[in-house]
């Protein structure tokens, strides 16, 4: 669906031009036009920012290319959508994933209107040449010159220009053919002579010119034209004319009557004799609605069916398998069929051969052997729809038919594969919740409320509804039907009980499709008892799981076989790209499985799920500051929905012990992932519910202290550290004291008390050595460098920070390594070395993007912005500040508040040379960037020397 403003038209058949209500819009220079062309050529599909930069600048992309691109985007939006509200999520020119999309109605682009008119003309050519000529003339009249005339010298549109020019040539040929069919041979001659001069290697133009001359009584000229065509082809390509030109030459020589003008219905060709007329094809059910969002899937399955004789479309109930199979069958080239056997209502496997035979119009047959004999050598397609409940009977039938009927192809739909040798399966995915699913919802809701078109700002809510419904077409159609009586907000709110909300489908639909619950229930009924039990167990997992997690929660017997059954029956999906592989249930299926559990069953599985989550969190907590910390960060992100659910369950049931164990173990993950306010709230709740002597209390207080520091409240953070130290001293917890003292020192220096900070450092060394924690030693050394810097000795601080980084690197504590580099970049700024600061911070930003450490990435990007301001690149710095502010605000984290000593300096360095208006414009531009965009900016800033791969992040300072 397009969000294009009314009256906006794009013209590319000539110089690129955009008009509104007939008035031409000023797009700007060639690079902005290249941007528009790149997005238009994509025809509503997303184009990555890297691809756009390559298209606009080629190999000459500047370091500030991304910033300039966003400037172009911002200005272009103002030109194309002057009335678009600020920060609107969807519009004409939108951010989508790693790139941009231009949503334009096809009829608003002259090349699309040309294609539609030309296609119509070609279709009418044989039956109504006058109408064909009119349509083709209108199409050709849209051209104002060569396509993308003002971009022809660049590579931006070269492939699209070639495609359009070829389409223009075909339309001109069709127009000439239409005039010939109307008896206007004289006029056609002039038109075709121009064509052969412009396109001397296009054989059809020569053929039509010879025919025009012949019908004009110029047989000799016609033969001379054909000889000229032959000579030109041999001279330039070294090939003889094709069969059509040769057939025309022979027909002219023998004055074939087929060349004479006839009425349109009697028009003959001079090619091969006409094929015998195909027998009437069987009638497939005509579609009552448009198939939406399945073009790629239809094409893929058609390709599979061309290569393989048995293709099965699989997927859970409600994904649209039957609808897609019918679409494929309708388009299948088949002189005998295709044939459709509806198996949903067949409950007796013994009736299967007779049902299929009746569908194919064969004699009544009672066995598979008789059915195979009746099909024989016929080359045809047979669709077996809804096989899942008869899969044990359909499989041998399919195998027999394929082995004995060499011309037969089978297209099956089933919730699980047939399991036959030679079978190819295509798992039909749900619709994209942000694209095709929204389009489906809009179209179906308009069918029940033609007077109510959703507003522009309601698309995001519709997308959320579609996402909640897993992109399942059946669920989306049922939800859209509710717009007759409910608002979008009411539908969204009602999805907490989706089965009650979506309980009324079309009266004529099969029973399994009249409600969402019926669709899922029909799948679950096919499960064995062990599979059904496992489905209930796995319904406790939110956001997916891996095999190890499923085994730990489900317990014996072995999970693999039962899980394979759930996957085969389309109730569990597999992420084949993940290592190890991850599995998930669509939320609709998960909710159904949950509601079928008894109270005792749910409590049992929830308890086992909680025990697994506690063990996972505590293992991760021990590993996050080691060499495999990155792997554990990634694993906790995968399992975040599960750990949230388990922690919520522990808090809701009063299990303070489990709650504090999970929360304290996750505190460092929350810190690095940027889950600031979630972490503070969960730790506070868990501390309130756990006993005062709980062994994880000290670790939980330190974790909350660090999160409060990130939230811009170091004083509250220091209070937590002091409380943890008092409790640890009382019971002699050396490890807690060792971990807390570096943070006490850091908070003290933030409060402007470096002497007390030094005392805390000294005390810290004693406990760190006693605890034997190397990673804490790295943090302590890092804090020492910061305190030395604040005390006024940046060169000494630089050396101490390098020491800290070396210790951190040796023990795998990547956060301490990067934090030492972060402070090191600020030391470079203290020394006035803006270039070194830019290099240090840029490398850290790139490194941390790979680590996916959100808070550290934002802190380093903030310093990079300040360094750019100091280096005379204030606009780039302001753009980066805008990105940091936008991303940080969504997380509840501000590097400027977190870093009260240096954060304001970064902002001041950027503001110093910019007017308030320029600063506001640049930060607004940066707010539209993604983390990946900003990282690409940083990557372009890195300058490498021989032997430097650009990855070293701690740069050593010379003391000279």
């Amino acid at each position: 669906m397009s969000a294009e403003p009314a009256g906006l038209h794009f013209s590319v058949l000539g110089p690129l031009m955009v008009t509104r209500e007939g008035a031409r819009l000023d797009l700007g220079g060639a690079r902005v036009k290249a941007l528009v062309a790149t997005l238009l050529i994509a025809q509503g599909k997303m184009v990555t920012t890297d691809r756009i930069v390559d298209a606009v600048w080629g190999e000459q992309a500047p370091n500030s290319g991304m910033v300039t691109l966003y400037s172009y985007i911002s200005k272009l939006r103002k030109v194309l959508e002057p009335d678009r509200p600020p920060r609107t999520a969807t519009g004409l020119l939108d951010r989508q994933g790693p790139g941009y999309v231009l949503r334009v109605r096809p009829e608003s682009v002259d090349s699309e209107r040309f294609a539609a008119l030309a296609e119509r003309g070609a279709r009418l050519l044989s039956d109504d040449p006058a109408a064909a000529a009119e349509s083709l003339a209108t199409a050709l009249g849209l051209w104002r010159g060569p396509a993308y005339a003002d971009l022809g010298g660049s590579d931006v549109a070269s492939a699209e220009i070639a495609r359009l020019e070829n389409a223009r040539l075909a339309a001109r040929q069709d127009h000439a053919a239409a005039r010939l069919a109307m008896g206007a041979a004289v006029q056609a001659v002039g038109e075709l002579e121009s064509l052969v001069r412009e396109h001397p290697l296009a054989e059809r133009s020569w053929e039509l010119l010879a025919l025009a001359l012949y019908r004009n009584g110029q047989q000799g000229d016609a033969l001379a034209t054909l000889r000229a065509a032959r000579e030109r082809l041999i001279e330039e390509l070294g090939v003889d004319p094709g069969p059509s030109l040769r057939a025309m030459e022979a027909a002219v020589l023998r004055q074939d009557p087929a060349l004479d003008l006839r009425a349109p219905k009697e028009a003959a060709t001079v090619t091969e004799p006409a094929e015998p007329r195909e027998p009437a094809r069987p009638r497939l059910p005509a579609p009552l609605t448009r198939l939406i969002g399945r073009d790629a899937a239809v094409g893929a399955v058609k390709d599979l069916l061309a290569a393989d004789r048995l293709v099965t479309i699989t997927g859970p109930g409600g994904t649209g398998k039957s609808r897609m199979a019918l679409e494929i069958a309708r388009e299948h080239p088949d002189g005998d069929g295709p044939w459709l056997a509806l198996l949903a209502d067949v409950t007796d496997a013994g009736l299967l051969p007779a049902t299929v035979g009746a569908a194919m119009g064969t004699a009544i047959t009672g066995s598979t052997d008789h059915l195979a004999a009746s099909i024989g050598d016929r080359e045809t397609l047979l669709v077996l729809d809804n096989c899942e409940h008869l899969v044990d009977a359909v499989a041998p039938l399919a195998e027999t038919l394929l082995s004995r009927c060499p011309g037969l192809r089978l297209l099956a739909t089933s919730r699980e594969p047939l399991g036959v040798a030679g079978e190819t399966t295509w798992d039909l995915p749900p619709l994209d919740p942000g694209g095709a699913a929204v389009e489906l919802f809009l179209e179906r809701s308009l069918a029940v409320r033609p007077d109510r078109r959703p507003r522009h700002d309601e698309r995001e809510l519709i997308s959320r509804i579609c996402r909640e419904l897993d992109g399942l077409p059946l669920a989306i159609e049922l939800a859209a039907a509710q717009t007759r009586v409910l608002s979008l907000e009411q539908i969204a709110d009602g999805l907490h009980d989706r089965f009650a909300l979506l309980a009324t489908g079309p009266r004529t639909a099969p029973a399994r499709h009249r409600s969402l619950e019926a669709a899922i229930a029909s799948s679950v009924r096919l499960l064995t008892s062990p599979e059904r039990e496992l489905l209930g167990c796995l319904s406790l997992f939110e956001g997916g799981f891996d095999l190890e997690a499923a085994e730990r929660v489900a317990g014996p017997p072995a999970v693999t076989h039962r899980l394979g059954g759930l996957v085969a029956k389309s109730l569990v999906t597999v992420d084949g790209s993940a290592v190890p592989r991850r599995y998930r249930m669509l939320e609709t299926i998960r909710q159904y499985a949950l509601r079928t559990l008894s109270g005792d069953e749910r409590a049992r599985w929830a308890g086992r799920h909680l025990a697994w989550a506690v063990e996972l969190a505590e293992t991760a907590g021990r590993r996050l500051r080691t060499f495999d910390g990155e792997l554990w960060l990634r694993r906790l992100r995968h399992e975040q929905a599960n750990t949230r659910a388990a922690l919520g369950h522990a808090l809701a049931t009063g299990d303070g012990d489990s709650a504090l164990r999970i929360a304290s173990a996750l505190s460092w993950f929350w810190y690095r992932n940027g889950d600031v306010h979630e972490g503070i709230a969960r730790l506070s709740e868990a501390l309130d519910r756990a006993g005062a002597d709980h062994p994880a209390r000290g670790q939980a207080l330190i974790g909350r202290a660090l999160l409060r520091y990130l939230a811009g409240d170091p004083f509250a953070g220091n209070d937590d550290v002091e409380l943890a130290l008092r409790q640890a001293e009382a019971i002699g917890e050396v490890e807690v004291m060792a971990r807390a003292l570096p943070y006490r020192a850091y908070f003290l220096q933030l409060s402007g008390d470096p002497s007390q900070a030094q005392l805390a450092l000294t005390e810290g060394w004693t406990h760190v050595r006693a605890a034997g924690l190397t990673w804490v030693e790295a943090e302590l050394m890092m804090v020492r460098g910061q305190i030395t810097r604040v005390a006024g000795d940046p060169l000494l601080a630089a050396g101490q920070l390098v020491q800290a980084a070396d210790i951190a690197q040796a023990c795998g504590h990547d956060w301490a390594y990067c934090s030492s580099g972060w402070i090191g970049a600020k030391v470079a700024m203290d020394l006035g070395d803006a270039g070194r600061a830019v290099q240090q911070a840029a490398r850290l930003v790139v490194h941390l993007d790979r680590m996916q450490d959100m808070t550290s990435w934002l802190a380093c990007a903030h310093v990079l912005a300040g360094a750019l301001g100091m280096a005379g690149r204030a606009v780039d710095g302001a753009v980066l500040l805008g990105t940091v502010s936008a991303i940080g605000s969504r997380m509840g984290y501000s590097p400027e508040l977190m870093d009260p000593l240096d954060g304001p300096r970064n902002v001041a360095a950027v503001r110093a040379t910019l007017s308030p208006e320029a600063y506001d414009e640049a930060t607004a531009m940066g707010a539209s960037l993604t983390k990946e965009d900003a990282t690409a900016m940083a990557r372009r800033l890195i300058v490498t020397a021989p032997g430097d791969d650009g990855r070293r992040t701690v740069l050593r300072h010379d003391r000279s």
Side-chain angles (χ1 to χ4, degrees), residues 194-281:
S194 296
L195 268 180
V196 296
R197 281 196 301 271
E198 295 171 28
H199 303 279
L201 303 180
E203 294 191 30
R204 187 182 176 212
S205 300
W206 290 102
E207 180 186 347
L208 289 169
L209 177 56
L211 180 59
L213 290 167
Y214 181 85
R215 288 187 180 174
N216 204 34
Q218 299 171 263
Q219 182 180 1
D221 291 336
L223 290 169
T225 293
L226 292 166
R227 283 194 296 272
R230 177 188 294 275
E231 292 167 2
R232 192 69 177 263
L233 290 167
I234 291 173
E235 177 184 347
E236 297 202 18
L237 299 180
V239 298
D240 288 324
S244 188
L245 264 184
R246 294 199 302 272
M248 175 60 73
E249 186 174 19
V252 170
L253 283 169
R254 66 175 183 268
Q255 297 183 357
D256 193 327
L259 298 177
D260 296 334
L261 180 64
R262 297 186 181 189
K265 294 289 185 183
E266 300 173 4
T269 61
V270 292
T271 54
E272 299 300 319
E275 294 289 334
R277 187 178 176 193
E278 293 183 356
R281 292 159 59 114

Side-chain angles (χ1 to χ4, degrees), residues 745-765:
Y746 189 83
F747 289 142
L748 286 170
Q749 65 86 28
L750 279 181
S751 66
D753 195 347
S755 59
Q756 288 297 316
Q758 287 286 2
L759 290 175
L761 272 182
T762 303
E763 185 181 359
W765 284 118

